[in-house]
Amino acid sequence: MKPLFVVLEGPDASGKSTQLRLLSEALAARGVPHVATREPGGTPLGERLRDLVLSSETGMAPLTELLLIVAARHEHVEKVIRPALAEGKWVLSSRYTLSSLAYQGWGRGLDLSLIRQLNALATGGLEPDLLFLLDLPPAVAYARTRERDRFEGEGLEFFTRVRVGYLELVRSAPRAHVIDGTLPPERVLGEILAHIPLPGI
Ligand code: TYD
């Protein structure tokens, strides 16, 4: 079977890291070779760019932020995602191109078509085979994440714009599923697995 590229999206503290771990365990239990990774980050350079983007002292312009995140994405695609898929490994990524559209586009107001162009440049058009949006009401996302880092220091209005963006984006994204992120982790995992064609299920 062709290895799948699976992306988890959602606001901060929507449970993406937990689901990434649980999914990785589910694949490992079935002997499916895979890589679990994240954005921004996923490569040594990408992790350095992530630190820059997330550090509260930097205070960068929105376009600078986008360009750094997109640079990290290109490294990620070239050095991790494409090679893994070429070796027959599945790739599970916490965040990908939709994050830039939701956060830098809907959240910060940058032009969506510009973001789409930069995403296409960074990824060479590589799209996920499956995408799961862990959806949370903005007030829940906001309450769960206050003061964790720079993005998470954003106000409720920002979380609301990001959520509206995400929901709008997944309506037109192929192979995307919205999952209720307020459910307990095991239930969320069950909903995700129901859409994944896994050997032995
Ligand atoms: P992440 O590590 O997923 O944080 P969390 O686990 O709390 O959800 O993401 C770090 C931050 O980077 C997050 O606030 C969203 C932001 N981000 C963007 O703004 N644009 C992007 O394209 C990506 C990938 C992340």
Side-chain angles (χ1 to χ4, degrees), residues 60-185:
M60 62 187 67
L63 181 59
T64 312
E65 178 181 273
L66 173 65
L67 293 171
L68 292 179
I69 289 171
V70 164
R73 178 162 302 132
H74 183 62
E75 281 293 297
H76 195 211
V77 169
E78 291 299 307
K79 305 268 174 67
V80 175
I81 303 177
R82 284 191 191 276
L85 294 171
E87 283 170 23
K89 293 182 184 153
W90 290 39
V91 175
L92 311 176
S93 182
S94 173
R95 298 193 182 280
Y96 192 56
T97 48
L98 235 62
S99 282
S100 300
L101 290 160
Y103 281 77
Q104 279 66 48
W106 263 272
R108 302 222 191 279
L110 291 180
D111 182 55
L112 292 171
S113 65
L114 170 75
I115 301 172
R116 286 204 174 87
Q117 285 174 41
L118 290 171
N119 273 339
L121 185 69
T123 64
L126 180 70
E127 298 284 348
D129 296 300
L130 279 167
L131 186 145
F132 297 97
L133 170 62
L134 307 189
D135 181 46
L136 277 186
V140 178
Y142 180 60
R144 281 194 194 176
T145 63
R146 276 201 318 209
E147 293 170 17
R148 255 175 45 184
D149 69 20
R150 191 165 71 80
F151 281 91
E152 294 163 350
E154 295 291 344
L156 184 56
E157 304 73 32
F158 181 82
F159 279 92
T160 306
R161 289 198 300 278
V162 168
R163 196 228 194 165
V164 169
Y166 264 135
L167 290 174
E168 185 67 30
L169 287 161
V170 293
R171 286 203 311 165
S172 54
R175 302 170 302 274
H177 305 276
V178 181
I179 312 278
D180 179 355
T182 64
L183 293 173

Side-chain angles (χ1 to χ4, degrees), residues 21-88:
R21 182 173 51 76
L22 295 175
L23 263 179
S24 174
E25 287 169 9
L27 290 187
R30 290 163 182 85
V32 178
H34 65 281
V35 170
T37 183
R38 69 169 180 183
E39 291 201 359
T43 64
L45 175 57
E47 291 293 327
R48 291 177 70 180
L49 291 169
R50 175 192 178 88
D51 287 346
L52 274 178
V53 168
L54 296 185
S55 78
S56 44
E57 312 89 61
T58 327
M60 62 187 67
L63 181 59
T64 312
E65 178 181 273
L66 173 65
L67 293 171
L68 292 179
I69 289 171
V70 164
R73 178 162 302 132
H74 183 62
E75 281 293 297
H76 195 211
V77 169
E78 291 299 307
K79 305 268 174 67
V80 175
I81 303 177
R82 284 191 191 276
L85 294 171
E87 283 170 23

Side-chain angles (χ1 to χ4, degrees), residues 1-19:
M1 179 186 171
K2 171 181 156 311
L4 297 185
F5 175 24
V6 181
V7 169
L8 302 180
E9 287 282 359
D12 308 80
S14 53
K16 295 182 301 300
S17 341
T18 304
Q19 293 305 321

